[in-house]
Amino acid sequence: MGGSAGSPQARGTDMTQNQYMIEGQDGLSWPRWQRLLRTAEDCGYQSVFRSDHFTNADGADKDSLELWVSLAYAATHTNTLEFGPLVAPITFRHPSMNARYAAGIDDLSGGRLVLGMGAGWQDREHRKFGIPFYDFSTRYRMLEEALELTRLLLRNDAPSDFAGDFYQLEDAILLPRPARPGGPPVLIGGNGPRKTLPLVAKYADEWNAVYIDLPTYRARRALLAEYLAAEGRAADDMKYSLMTRVIYRPTQAQLDACLHESGISDEARREGKMIIGAAAEVIDQISERVDAGVERFMLQWVELDDMENLELLARDVLPAITI
């Protein structure tokens, strides 16, 4: 794929790798979640991912549905959508429980869950709810142990032992065994070249880059290929996705008004970390990232009540993208 997108008709009609993600701590209520899922499935989105947070980093607290409860609802109230956490911090729940929830909900949905795992970053929500928040080095070590433990529980058909500094298993087995061989795929998000990417190469089925410009994405992708080779894995063993905010409006006037209201500066646009524009611009920006190797997009949609423009994004942009 290359060159200018031109118009929505310039591309094919494969929408299977386009999805959006929402911030679950930013006002997510049951009516909103139900409407977001219904809109996604009706409009042909492939997936809906959500963050796993209790609060925002600052400001007033808002509605926030618990992650696994909301995903159990998604499993039973949708038919085609893939879904999952982007991502579940290891500090919130013991990894054996995360693995158990993930395997059960994946089975309930007929194999539509992706298990996103991360180290966590926001101290405010930990303080509010009495959850220990360790320094990054400790959280990173916890995440590595959690990934190893999760792989044991999901993949081993015999009872497993695990003796880590933070987590232990003794004769543990998930029953019933996951219906999908190996359980749901594991996603690790982040761009860190020295810590995150080596974990991706060792443990993940999918790397999710986050808010990253194209030159940096290409460099990280090349570095990840080296780490994969060191693990004896081929580059195409990995799925490559990108999470970034999308701001779409059908007309330039509507887009300008939205950017003004959102406080998005020209400098922020020039950084190239977000996807912003009317239809042709958004198609071109997505297509550039496809050319760089992105296989699917988690398009962050922050306006949880704006179903009209989410529907227009599906109608005007997604049919033009072939992956």
Side-chain angles (χ1 to χ4, degrees):
M1 175 182 294
S4 174
S7 69
Q9 287 72 35
R11 301 284 181 193
T13 57
D14 182 359
M15 296 190 298
T16 60
Q17 299 300 302
N18 290 288
Q19 55 238 308
Y20 65 84
M21 72 82 59
I22 55 130
E23 297 297 332
Q25 76 284 2
D26 205 21
L28 188 63
S29 61
W30 282 116
R32 286 189 174 116
W33 185 231
Q34 291 161 354
R35 186 166 58 247
L36 284 159
L37 292 173
R38 185 169 59 250
T39 298
E41 203 153 57
D42 289 348
C43 291
Y45 286 95
Q46 184 248 352
S47 302
V48 175
F49 285 80
R50 55 150 299 182
S51 65
D52 182 13
H53 288 295
F54 306 143
T55 70
N56 283 309
D58 51 39
D61 289 347
K62 300 178 182 179
D63 289 347
S64 174
L65 297 182
E66 200 284 325
L67 172 76
W68 291 112
V69 174
S70 71
L71 296 184
Y73 178 91
T76 56
H77 288 76
T78 64
N79 297 308
T80 61
L81 289 177
E82 193 173 28
F83 54 84
L86 202 67
V87 292
I90 195 55
T91 51
F92 289 171
R93 311 167 191 88
H94 194 283
S96 64
M97 293 297 100
N98 270 338
R100 188 173 179 87
Y101 302 149
I105 291 174
D106 190 52
D107 284 357
L108 186 64
S109 69
R112 293 185 282 127
L113 177 81
V114 175
L115 175 55
M117 298 176 63
W121 63 271
Q122 196 215 109
D123 60 345
R124 184 188 188 215
E125 60 193 349
H126 291 76
R127 292 197 313 270
K128 276 180 170 287
F129 292 96
I131 301 169
F133 185 71
Y134 307 100
D135 61 82
F136 176 74
S137 177
T138 301
R139 299 197 314 277
Y140 170 82
R141 290 166 54 213
M142 292 170 67
L143 175 60
E144 185 164 22
E145 282 193 15
L147 288 162
E148 179 67 29
L149 183 154
T150 299
R151 184 160 64 178
L152 282 173
L153 288 173
L154 292 178
R155 296 184 180 181
N156 281 15
D157 292 332
S160 299
D161 296 329
F162 182 81
D165 294 331
F166 305 99
Y167 307 115
Q168 294 79 40
L169 297 176
E170 182 179 340
D171 203 32
I173 184 170
L174 289 183
L175 294 174
R177 297 299 300 141
R180 187 163 22 169
V186 170
L187 174 152
I188 298 175
N191 310 324
R194 291 185 299 275
K195 290 187 177 292
T196 300
L197 292 186
L199 283 187
V200 172
K202 187 172 183 179
Y203 295 105
D205 301 291
E206 180 170 348
W207 171 47
N208 183 246
V210 181
Y211 269 85
I212 190 171
D213 61 76
L214 269 173
T216 306
Y217 176 83
R218 291 189 181 99
R220 295 291 191 272
R221 172 80 181 255
L223 182 59
L224 178 56
E226 296 178 12
Y227 288 135
L228 286 166
E231 293 289 338
R233 301 178 66 185
D236 59 7
D237 285 346
M238 186 67 57
K239 190 163 195 169
Y240 301 90
S241 57
L242 171 68
M243 193 286 283
T244 191
R245 185 174 177 184
V246 61
I247 301 176
Y248 170 71
R249 293 295 184 271
T251 70
Q252 188 62 46
Q254 290 171 314
L255 178 66
D256 291 342
C258 176
L259 293 175
H260 178 75
E261 183 178 347
S262 302
I264 304 295
S265 67
D266 290 340
E267 181 180 359
R269 294 189 68 176
R270 286 192 295 270
E271 285 180 348
K273 295 180 180 180
M274 294 185 283
I275 294 174
I276 301 173
E281 292 176 282
V282 170
I283 292 167
D284 279 341
Q285 291 169 52
I286 291 178
S287 297
E288 288 175 342
R289 288 155 176 81
V290 171
D291 289 342
V294 177
E295 295 176 322
R296 67 172 174 176
F297 294 82
M298 283 74 158
L299 300 173
Q300 185 191 45
W301 193 258
V302 302
E303 301 90 356
L304 299 188
D305 292 323
D306 185 3
M307 295 300 97
E308 178 181 0
N309 284 302
L310 189 62
E311 292 172 2
L312 291 173
L313 177 68
R315 186 196 71 184
D316 298 341
V317 173
L318 300 192
I321 306 300
T322 300
I323 299 179

